[in-house]
Amino acid sequence: MATLTADAARILGQLDANHAANTAAGLGGPEMDAFHSLLVELVTEVPDPSALVGEVADLLTAHVHSCGGAR
């Protein structure tokens, strides 16, 4: 595995902390675990992890809005 950038290490720390908190709060499950694993894999592989996370956030926000969710 290549050396992580400081940006990737920071993002991975945040992902892991949030995943642990969600699991502790009873919000975890196999789908959440799989999504977390996918994000971790992608963050470690892309040259610009901040841009990747931004794109994922934009896609999730658009999906929520298209489903009539949060506004």
Side-chain angles (χ1 to χ4, degrees):
M1 181 169 92
T3 303
L4 293 178
T5 64
D7 214 17
R10 178 185 53 78
I11 291 168
L12 291 174
Q14 291 172 343
L15 286 171
D16 287 344
N18 289 329
H19 185 66
N22 288 334
T23 300
L27 301 174
E31 293 85 4
M32 184 64 78
D33 293 343
F35 184 66
H36 174 263
S37 294
L38 175 62
L39 285 176
V40 167
E41 181 180 342
L42 292 172
V43 165
T44 61
E45 293 178 356
V46 298
D48 188 352
S50 288
L52 169 79
V53 171
E55 290 175 22
V56 170
D58 289 347
L59 287 170
L60 291 172
T61 299
H63 176 69
V64 167
H65 287 253
S66 73
C67 295
R71 292 175 195 196

